[in-house]
Amino acid sequence: MADYSTTEAAPDDEATDDAAAPVNNGRSAKSYLALITHSRRAFKAYNDRCDNIELQLANLERLAKATRDREYQMFWANLEVLKPSVYSRPPVPVVTTRFNDRRPAHREACEVLERCSIVNFEREDIDSTMRLVRDDLVVNARGVAWCWYEIDERKQQRARVAHVNRKDFLHDASARYWSEVGWVARCTWLTRKEARKRFGKYSGNAYSDAAFAKQKDADGNAEQTSTAEFWELWHKGEQRIVWVSPGCDNVLDEAKPEEMLQLDDFYPCPRPSFGTLKKDTLQPVPDFLYYKDQIEEVNELTARISSLSEALRLKGFYSGGAEDLADAIEKAVKTTNNNAILIPVSNFAAIGGQGMKESIVWLPLDVVATTIQACINIRKQLIDDIYQITGLSDVMRGATNPNETLGAQQLKSQYGSIRVRDKQFELVRIARDITRIQGEIIAENFTPETLLAMSQSDIPTVQQLQEKANGIHQQMIALQGKVKMAAQDPQAQQMAQQNPEQAGQLVQQAQQQMSAFEGQIQDLQNTVTIEAVAALLRDQRLRPFIMDIETDSTIQPDEDAAKQRVTEYTTAVGGFIAQSFPMVQQAPQLAPFVGEMLKFVSSPFRAGRALDGAIDDLVEQMQEYAKQPKPDPNAARAQADAQAQEKEMQFKQQEAEQKAASTAQELEFRKQSHQMTMAEKTMDLRAKRQQANIDQNNALIAQGLPPQPDTEMDDHRAMLAQMASDRQQTNALLAALTQALTAPKRIVRDGAGKPVGVEAVPPQNTGAQANGYNQ
């Protein structure tokens, strides 16, 4: 769409070098100029009244005069109290998903649009625009703002917003409600040079027929350059945007369908912020007109009090010989000297002067003082009447009675807030409408690059995701190549056969890396791109969203009330969590219900976007927690008792095994000691027997008899055989004892699963650890 904004006033250029400019299409501007003329005539009375009101409010020349009548500047004082009461700080845009939609694309789109709206408000100085709208509302009962889209000299996209003067805004005067308005128009004042730059390439030199003249300001001072009015008219019935100017027979420009902003309400301006309206019309009625009479009476009384105060001087009469009584009185009245005044009177007896005591007769001052006091009382009553009409309580004006109770002052403050609440809501509403219109302009016209630059978001582009995906794909190909080469390498196959565990670990690591790459690819596919966000904003615009601002963001906050609300919110939420979360631990299926109840408890309090998101995340976590299986506390307790008893039985078993091993060692020691004792006795007996046999054989040989056979050796052999038999029996007994002590055992349990003892495992079940036996 073309740049429809005005530029800074340049020096007037009377040249009209438009010979090469295209010729206008010839569309007549007569019907559109007739609409403007009719509307201007219909709002003439309103504009005239507003001119008088603005002169009453602020007229530097009149207020600076030294000879003017004294005035009580109550109108200005009331406005200075009312202005900050209805608006004091810029609005804060908030974009949220409709129905708490958790889809990533919608949430990212809301975040981007909200950030862009905040940045755009700062670029366009929305606070200055809102203050001008506020001033028009409280003074003239109508404030107007206008939005449009343009690309500035630096090729930057802009969603512009500006205040429109009451005389530069017209609409269908026959409409009873804003929904019935068929057209709106805004006037822009351009010089010849600006008009040629704006309309020359569309309509040739047709703009030169406009009524260029040096305009005068409110004080009657003429401008330095000649300007003419050019009207931008949006006709809803014809779905057409045209530019016309009084004096030009043809339309100067017309927007093409593809250049028109596709706004929901068609108009680039929100519904004006209205005060009081005339019944069944859109004709504003300024609030000043409702107490104009009281203001004028207050000013008259103020001037009268001032005049009487001038006459409140000490004046008297004394006897004289030259002047008569009439001249003396006239002189006394006209004298303005602040000092005591004495006037000679020739016929002193005529004014009652008798004797020395009454040689001077003073002009009575009690009558003047009484009159002044009466005027002050009447003015005070009129001022109270004005406060009743305007609804400005003394609490709002900061002039409370210290003897009043706190409840009485709170009632007054509440009453005053109610009276101005409509104006507060009007400014909140027009701020919200400006946000919506600018949101539509941003969503439909701004490029993804501009959206990223304004929002400072880290949302990736399609190209960035493609680059990441290509990098991951290359890594996957490289990993597959390594695995394939290892499978075809004989040396690697030989190493795998020699060390199968290490080979299995390498294969498992390769599979894990491949799974990780596939997960990264899946995450990239689910990632929201700025192109997807821009497409969503353009295609569906604001239908998936609801745009709103904080309802009290345009009003100066009450710090004490804000602290009290925070305390109330913390108390309410903290008490609810303390009562409900133990229920969730006992009955996890109640988690979704408790989450929704937490939202309901928080709903009366404006907790902010971050805290609302945290509450949503908490509700989701509670729902996930509810889905997870929960262990039975009785089963867990029984299992712990069984494990403790089992450990106790294992300890006793180990103690018994150690005791059996000690007994076996003692038996083995006794066996060896017995064997050694028996061997010593045998050797001793054998030695004695051998010596006896030797002695006997020597005696037989000496007698010439043959020696006796060695029966001792036979006995010795028999004894050795007996000892071997005894040793085998002992070894068999020790082996049986060792096997009984070291055999696998199992824990014996009763019907309830409680351990009651230990028994040896039969030989056929030895080593069956899968059945719970202890080696």
Side-chain angles (χ1 to χ4, degrees):
M1 193 169 181
D3 181 2
Y4 302 137
S5 65
T6 60
T7 58
E8 292 295 332
D12 197 9
D13 187 358
E14 298 295 338
T16 57
D17 187 13
D18 299 320
V23 181
N24 186 268
N25 56 12
R27 179 184 295 277
S28 175
K30 185 177 180 180
S31 60
Y32 303 112
L33 292 175
L35 293 175
I36 292 175
T37 302
H38 179 267
S39 179
R40 179 177 284 176
R41 186 180 301 115
F43 285 99
K44 183 178 183 304
Y46 164 73
N47 285 319
D48 291 343
R49 300 295 184 275
C50 291
D51 289 340
N52 295 331
I53 293 173
E54 290 173 358
L55 289 175
Q56 175 72 24
L57 174 63
N59 186 338
L60 180 60
E61 183 179 356
R62 181 180 62 83
L63 294 175
K65 286 183 178 180
T67 58
R68 66 180 179 86
D69 293 336
R70 296 295 183 263
E71 295 179 352
Y72 191 90
Q73 301 297 338
M74 189 171 186
F75 181 39
W76 172 83
N78 286 348
L79 292 181
E80 292 304 308
V81 173
L82 185 60
K83 287 178 181 179
S85 299
V86 298
Y87 175 87
S88 60
R89 58 178 182 170
V92 179
V94 175
V95 185
T96 57
T97 56
R98 183 170 298 185
F99 310 122
N100 291 325
D101 194 345
R102 310 293 295 182
R103 283 177 286 186
H106 288 191
R107 299 191 68 180
E108 290 291 347
C110 286
E111 185 70 22
V112 168
L113 196 55
E114 178 179 301
R115 291 187 177 189
C116 291
S117 299
I118 294 174
V119 172
N120 194 72
F121 271 10
E122 294 177 355
R123 294 178 69 189
E124 298 302 317
D125 192 10
I126 189 65
D127 186 52
S128 297
T129 300
M130 290 297 300
R131 289 182 182 275
L132 292 173
V133 173
R134 175 201 67 184
D135 294 347
D136 278 355
L137 173 62
V138 298
V139 176
N140 302 321
R142 190 185 72 178
V144 183
W146 193 278
C147 304
W148 70 96
Y149 167 70
E150 74 173 21
I151 299 177
D152 60 16
E153 294 79 5
R154 294 180 295 176
K155 305 301 180 182
Q156 294 183 355
Q157 295 177 297
R158 303 288 295 269
R160 307 303 300 270
V161 59
H163 164 260
V164 182
N165 186 275
R166 57 180 172 81
K167 293 183 179 180
D168 295 337
F169 176 78
L170 294 174
H171 62 79
D172 186 2
S174 61
R176 297 171 300 173
Y177 312 104
W178 184 254
S179 59
E180 297 178 355
V181 173
W183 61 271
V184 297
R186 179 185 65 151
C187 178
T188 304
W189 295 84
L190 303 177
T191 63
R192 289 183 182 274
K193 184 176 181 179
E194 294 169 345
R196 181 172 66 253
K197 181 180 178 181
R198 171 63 184 84
F199 302 109
K201 60 181 178 180
Y202 299 103
S203 58
N205 61 351
Y207 72 90
S208 60
D209 295 332
F212 288 96
K214 292 185 178 181
Q215 307 297 325
K216 294 183 178 181
D217 57 17
D219 296 331
N221 300 321
E223 298 179 353
Q224 295 182 354
T225 58
S226 298
T227 58
E229 54 181 296
F230 295 87
W231 288 89
E232 175 184 351
L233 191 146
W234 291 60
H235 202 294
K236 190 174 184 180
E238 298 180 1
Q239 292 290 305
R240 180 176 288 124
I241 306 173
V242 296
W243 282 259
V244 296
S245 178
C248 300
D249 297 333
N250 294 332
V251 172
L252 299 177
D253 188 17
E254 181 176 354
K256 299 178 181 179
E258 62 272 13
E259 295 176 339
M260 296 174 59
L261 295 176
Q262 303 299 321
L263 303 176
D264 286 346
D265 196 33
F266 182 75
Y267 298 131
C269 61
R271 181 172 68 89
S273 57
F274 288 114
T276 304
L277 293 175
K278 186 178 177 181
K279 181 65 174 177
D280 292 334
T281 66
L282 292 178
Q283 189 80 253
V285 180
D287 293 347
F288 176 78
L289 299 180
Y290 289 99
Y291 58 95
K292 175 176 174 293
D293 296 339
Q294 285 75 19
I295 289 289
E296 291 177 351
E297 291 181 16
V298 168
N299 289 335
E300 291 177 1
L301 286 172
T302 301
R304 189 173 302 173
I305 292 172
S306 176
S307 300
L308 291 174
S309 298
E310 292 294 331
L312 195 62
R313 291 181 176 89
L314 184 61
K315 299 178 181 181
F317 306 92
Y318 65 94
S319 177
E323 298 180 348
D324 58 9
L325 179 60
D327 293 338
I329 295 176
E330 182 179 0
K331 185 177 180 180
V333 172
K334 290 183 177 181
T335 302
T336 59
N337 191 351
N338 291 328
N339 298 324
I341 301 172
L342 295 177
I343 300 173
V345 179
S346 58
N347 189 7
F348 188 70
I351 59 174
Q354 296 178 1
M356 196 63 160
K357 182 179 180 181
E358 297 179 356
S359 60
I360 299 177
V361 177
W362 299 102
L363 188 68
L365 299 181
D366 54 347
V367 177
V368 179
T370 303
T371 305
I372 292 176
Q373 186 62 42
C375 292
I376 292 175
N377 293 335
I378 296 174
R379 188 179 66 173
K380 183 177 180 181
Q381 182 60 45
L382 288 172
I383 293 174
D384 291 339
D385 293 343
I386 292 175
Y387 288 148
Q388 290 294 328
I389 295 173
T390 58
L392 296 178
S393 65
D394 52 3
V395 177
M396 298 176 65
R397 302 192 310 272
T400 61
N401 184 358
N403 297 324
E404 289 183 346
T405 63
L406 176 61
Q409 295 186 358
Q410 290 178 345
L411 286 175
K412 288 184 178 181
S413 178
Q414 183 179 4
Y415 172 75
S417 300
I418 293 175
R419 291 294 300 271
V420 302
R421 192 167 298 171
D422 286 344
K423 290 183 175 61
Q424 293 175 352
F425 289 164
E426 274 295 290
L427 289 172
V428 170
R429 192 267 310 161
I430 198 171
R432 183 187 66 240
D433 292 347
I434 291 174
T435 305
R436 289 176 176 175
I437 294 175
Q438 289 206 336
E440 290 184 76
I441 294 174
I442 293 172
E444 296 176 4
N445 298 278
F446 282 24
T447 62
E449 293 77 13
T450 304
L451 294 176
L452 273 180
M454 291 184 66
S455 64
Q456 294 295 304
S457 301
D458 55 356
I459 303 176
T461 62
V462 173
Q463 182 179 359
Q464 292 175 344
L465 290 185
Q466 188 64 37
E467 292 176 356
K468 291 182 180 180
N470 292 337
I472 296 174
H473 185 65
Q474 294 296 330
Q475 294 179 3
M476 293 176 65
I477 294 176
L479 180 60
Q480 291 175 354
K482 291 181 181 180
V483 173
K484 186 175 181 180
M485 291 177 60
Q488 296 176 356
D489 188 0
Q491 184 177 1
Q493 294 179 0
Q494 184 177 1
M495 292 178 62
Q497 293 177 358
Q498 293 176 356
N499 194 349
E501 281 189 26
Q502 185 177 3
Q505 292 178 357
L506 294 176
V507 171
Q508 186 177 3
Q509 291 178 0
Q511 292 176 351
Q512 291 177 353
Q513 291 180 2
M514 190 64 66
S515 300
F517 289 148
E518 292 176 354
Q520 293 177 4
I521 293 293
Q522 185 66 29
D523 292 340
L524 292 179
Q525 292 176 352
N526 297 331
T527 301
V528 179
T529 62
I530 189 61
E531 287 81 3
V533 170
L536 180 62
L537 293 176
R538 282 196 177 91
D539 293 344
Q540 301 185 18
R541 301 185 304 177
L542 303 182
R543 283 191 292 273
F545 319 121
I546 180 170
M547 298 185 62
D548 202 356
I549 63 171
E550 300 283 345
T551 56
D552 57 351
S553 64
T554 59
I555 306 170
Q556 184 66 30
D558 186 348
E559 295 184 0
D560 293 336
K563 293 178 181 178
Q564 184 177 359
R565 285 194 296 269
V566 171
T567 303
E568 291 176 354
Y569 177 76
T570 305
T571 303
V573 174
F576 177 79
I577 291 177
Q579 295 178 1
S580 60
F581 276 33
M583 295 167 44
V584 176
Q585 294 178 352
Q586 296 295 330
Q589 63 272 15
L590 296 178
F593 172 75
V594 172
E596 294 301 323
M597 284 294 295
L598 180 58
K599 287 184 178 181
F600 175 76
V601 172
S602 302
S603 59
F605 304 92
R606 186 170 294 278
R609 180 188 183 91
L611 191 54
D612 290 341
I615 292 176
D616 292 338
D617 295 338
L618 177 61
V619 172
E620 290 183 358
Q621 294 175 3
M622 293 173 62
Q623 292 176 348
E624 293 296 330
Y625 176 77
K627 295 178 181 179
Q628 297 177 359
K630 302 299 183 297
D632 185 4
N634 296 328
R637 190 179 301 106
Q639 183 179 2
D641 295 342
Q643 291 177 355
Q645 294 180 2
E646 185 174 351
K647 289 182 180 180
E648 184 178 359
M649 295 298 295
Q650 289 177 357
F651 176 76
K652 291 181 178 180
Q653 179 183 353
Q654 292 176 359
E655 187 178 12
E657 289 176 353
Q658 292 176 359
K659 187 175 182 180
S662 177
T663 303
Q665 291 178 359
E666 185 178 358
L667 291 174
E668 181 67 21
F669 177 75
R670 289 180 180 180
K671 169 188 172 184
Q672 292 177 359
S673 298
H674 176 70
Q675 289 177 352
M676 291 176 64
T677 302
M678 293 298 296
E680 291 177 355
K681 291 182 178 180
T682 302
M683 293 294 294
D684 187 20
L685 179 61
R686 180 182 177 186
K688 289 180 178 180
R689 288 182 178 178
Q690 286 180 353
Q691 186 63 35
N693 289 333
I694 291 172
D695 293 340
Q696 185 179 1
N697 287 333
N698 289 335
L700 291 175
I701 292 173
Q703 294 176 6
L705 296 176
Q708 294 293 328
D710 191 0
T711 57
E712 182 64 25
M713 293 298 296
D714 295 339
D715 294 339
H716 180 65
R717 292 188 182 93
M719 185 182 65
L720 290 176
Q722 183 65 34
M723 289 176 63
S725 177
D726 293 341
R727 186 167 59 252
Q728 288 179 356
Q729 292 179 359
T730 303
N731 290 336
L733 178 62
L734 291 174
L737 179 60
T738 303
Q739 182 178 4
L741 293 174
T742 61
K745 299 178 180 59
R746 63 185 176 187
I747 299 174
V748 179
R749 305 175 185 274
D750 58 10
K754 183 177 180 180
V756 296
V758 180
E759 66 178 3
V761 180
Q764 62 271 20
N765 293 333
T766 302
Q769 296 179 356
N771 294 330
Y773 301 140
N774 297 322
Q775 296 294 333

